[in-house]
Amino acid sequence: MPLVRVTMIKGKSPEYITKMSDSIYEALLETSYMQKNDLFHIIEQVEPGDLIYDRHFGIKGSRSGDFVIINIESDARRRAEKEALLARLSDKLAASPGIAREDVFVRLSMTAAWEDWSLGSGVAVSWS
């Protein structure tokens, strides 16, 4: 049950945002990271001076103005599952909407308990 928050620089079209969200959703679904229709994305667009990042740190190439930070909060996962998601996410976003792999910064945040989540009505999740 991931909650996705994307931070990016303002200026992308609604179609671009939709393609990006769709690619993130598909990567999560394809790597068995979530159930179908488990779609909760927050897309925040900031002014260019409000997203500060090094264009070279930790990668072989360089980052552009299309740089995005993707925070995914979900239940705990094994390392292999996380690695599969990161690879698939990079592939999907490169294909649509065309975000260079160097521009995709991902942070996975895991929680161990379902009761840390509520889907609404003030009720903690229980999958038992």
Side-chain angles (χ1 to χ4, degrees):
M1 168 178 0
L3 172 62
V4 176
R5 178 184 297 268
V6 179
T7 305
M8 59 191 292
I9 296 172
K10 282 184 181 179
K12 298 299 183 192
S13 70
E15 294 81 18
Y16 182 98
I17 302 285
T18 298
K19 287 178 181 180
M20 181 181 60
S21 178
D22 288 348
S23 289
I24 293 169
Y25 172 78
E26 291 167 8
L28 287 162
L29 197 58
E30 290 171 12
T31 57
S32 300
Y33 226 81
M34 66 178 199
Q35 299 175 38
K36 191 172 183 178
N37 299 321
D38 187 354
L39 177 61
F40 299 94
H41 292 180
I42 302 163
I43 311 295
E44 55 187 4
Q45 298 185 63
V46 300
E47 296 297 329
D50 293 335
L51 183 56
I52 301 165
Y53 56 94
D54 187 279
R55 295 205 178 242
H56 304 285
F57 183 79
I59 60 172
K60 292 182 181 178
S62 66
R63 296 181 177 92
S64 74
D66 291 333
F67 179 70
V68 295
I69 296 175
I70 303 171
N71 287 288
I72 302 173
E73 293 183 51
S74 74
D75 57 315
R77 299 295 171 138
R78 292 185 177 100
R79 183 180 179 97
E81 293 171 310
K82 294 175 189 178
E83 290 174 348
L85 171 63
L86 295 172
R88 193 67 184 135
L89 187 57
S90 180
D91 291 343
K92 297 292 282 187
L93 290 170
S96 178
I99 303 173
R101 286 171 172 80
E102 295 82 9
D103 285 329
V104 179
F105 180 103
V106 181
R107 179 183 180 270
L108 301 176
S109 176
M110 306 294 136
T111 181
W114 288 114
E115 64 269 14
D116 292 342
W117 298 83
S118 171
L119 298 176
S121 302
V123 178
V125 171
S126 173
W127 297 115
S128 53

